[in-house]
Amino acid sequence: MKPTKTILLLFLISVVTFSCSSDSNTDVNEYVDLEAASFEDVAYGDHESQVYDIFLPAHRDEDTKTLILIHGGGWTSGDKKDMNGFVELIKNDLPNTAIVNMNYRLANEAAEAFPMQINDVSGVVNHVKSKLNDYQISDDFGLIGTSAGAHLAMLWCYAFDNDRDAKMVCSIVGPTNFTDPAYLESEEFENLLLLQELYGIDLSLEFLKTLSPYHQVTADAPPTILFYGGQDPLVPVSQGSMLQSKLQELGVMHEYTLYPDAGHGWAGLELLDTWSKLKSFITAHLED
């Protein structure tokens, strides 16, 4: 079965991005003390995109928690540098937290998104866990994703976190349910679905459920915080509200924020509100 080229084409992601500089160190094996340290492009696989940057706080120890950042880009584009603004916010406001900012293999005609990108999230988690003694951090993780990255963060936490390493997950405008009528009954979806049928790609409802955090979430899911825009042209409002209702039904700790006038990303006071709520959520469910 070939996965989700239809879904990939649905999202040309335009989430809020930031720019900043980052430190570079050449060899993670040279790390010998507990001063603040950072390492760029640490390889967790053989592909050129299977790398991450890690930022380790000073005075860390075996209880230090880690946030993993997953960029957006419609599963076909984007880069970890798009999340550098979050890196700086976390460094400034949560200075005792380690940060992993990951790249993953991008989907194209020769490489489908699923399960490749979920495997890359697992690859990052497993690689960091194999380096806990080197990094001097714990194996407690929180995941933050934007758009397609938020979809990957939620899907991994709900269905692929076999060791229950994730203590919280954040979705900023992430797709949650590919069986939502807002997708299946839209003219754009139908036109793209026809193209996929011409190429012989199976997009059965069962397969779409496999890809949907909404259909994969259980009562054991980690605390989840959701942010969505009421005027988002790419991710319908129902994506956030449906998952919020499912989490409530299952008794999963969660928070949900809808910015009625925002699109696929926002700035100004709404962005300040997002970070304020997210910071408090991280402190309560990861740092505590």
Side-chain angles (χ1 to χ4, degrees):
M1 176 185 297
K2 293 184 178 180
T4 55
K5 292 183 182 176
T6 293
I7 297 169
L8 299 178
L9 292 172
L10 288 174
F11 303 102
L12 299 176
I13 302 306
S14 58
V15 297
V16 175
T17 59
F18 307 79
S19 63
C20 69
S21 61
S22 60
D23 299 328
S24 176
N25 291 276
T26 58
D27 186 356
V28 70
N29 294 321
E30 294 178 359
Y31 166 69
V32 294
D33 59 34
L34 297 183
E35 297 299 319
S38 63
F39 305 96
E40 287 189 347
D41 295 329
V42 179
Y44 66 90
D46 296 330
H47 192 277
E48 62 181 1
S49 295
Q50 290 178 305
V51 295
Y52 64 79
D53 301 338
I54 185 165
F55 305 88
L56 300 167
H59 313 301
R60 62 195 174 279
D61 57 29
E62 60 185 11
D63 292 324
T64 297
K65 310 302 192 293
T66 301
L67 285 168
I68 298 175
L69 309 181
I70 310 179
H71 69 80
W75 300 275
T76 62
S77 63
D79 186 86
K80 56 185 167 63
K81 69 172 182 271
D82 298 337
M83 301 296 281
N84 281 347
F86 281 103
V87 171
E88 292 305 304
L89 286 171
I90 296 164
K91 282 183 178 180
N92 290 333
D93 291 358
L94 298 168
N96 297 319
T97 306
I99 308 163
V100 170
N101 190 14
M102 64 173 286
N103 267 351
Y104 51 90
R105 289 170 290 177
L106 301 176
N108 55 46
E109 291 182 358
E112 287 94 3
F114 183 83
M116 176 179 71
Q117 292 170 349
I118 284 293
N119 290 341
D120 282 356
V121 178
S122 294
V124 167
V125 171
N126 291 335
H127 190 273
V128 173
K129 288 172 68 175
S130 75
K131 296 288 187 180
L132 293 181
N133 288 336
D134 293 332
Y135 294 150
Q136 287 293 289
I137 57 177
S138 76
D139 58 358
D140 290 339
F141 299 95
L143 280 73
I144 300 173
T146 58
S147 201
H151 163 259
L152 294 174
M154 290 184 289
L155 185 60
W156 187 86
C157 288
Y158 295 165
F160 296 92
D161 181 13
N162 297 325
D163 294 333
R164 304 293 174 84
D165 292 316
K167 307 308 177 189
M168 53 81 53
V169 61
C170 170
S171 166
I172 300 174
V173 296
T176 68
N177 182 8
F178 295 120
T179 68
D180 184 348
Y183 286 147
L184 294 180
E185 296 176 6
S186 71
E187 181 179 350
E188 292 80 4
F189 189 95
E190 290 175 355
N191 289 338
L192 291 169
L193 184 60
L194 176 60
L195 290 175
Q196 298 313 309
E197 288 173 349
L198 293 175
Y199 288 103
I201 295 173
D202 183 359
L203 288 174
S204 66
L205 283 177
E206 284 306 309
F207 181 67
L208 293 177
K209 288 180 180 179
T210 299
L211 299 175
S212 298
Y214 173 85
H215 291 288
Q216 298 302 315
V217 67
T218 69
D220 296 325
T224 301
I225 185 167
L226 308 168
F227 298 94
Y228 289 86
Q231 305 301 317
D232 193 329
L234 302 176
V235 177
V237 172
S238 54
Q239 293 289 289
S241 61
M242 290 174 71
L243 182 58
Q244 191 271 339
S245 296
K246 185 72 170 286
L247 294 171
Q248 184 171 355
E249 175 187 330
L250 292 170
V252 175
M253 173 62 200
H254 67 280
E255 293 182 14
Y256 171 70
T257 299
L258 174 68
Y259 301 110
D261 298 324
H264 198 67
W266 41 83
L269 293 177
E270 290 164 330
L271 184 58
L272 291 174
D273 181 71
T274 298
W275 177 241
S276 176
K277 290 176 178 176
L278 178 53
K279 180 174 66 173
S280 295
F281 196 84
I282 293 167
T283 300
H285 300 289
L286 181 66
E287 292 296 318
D288 189 16

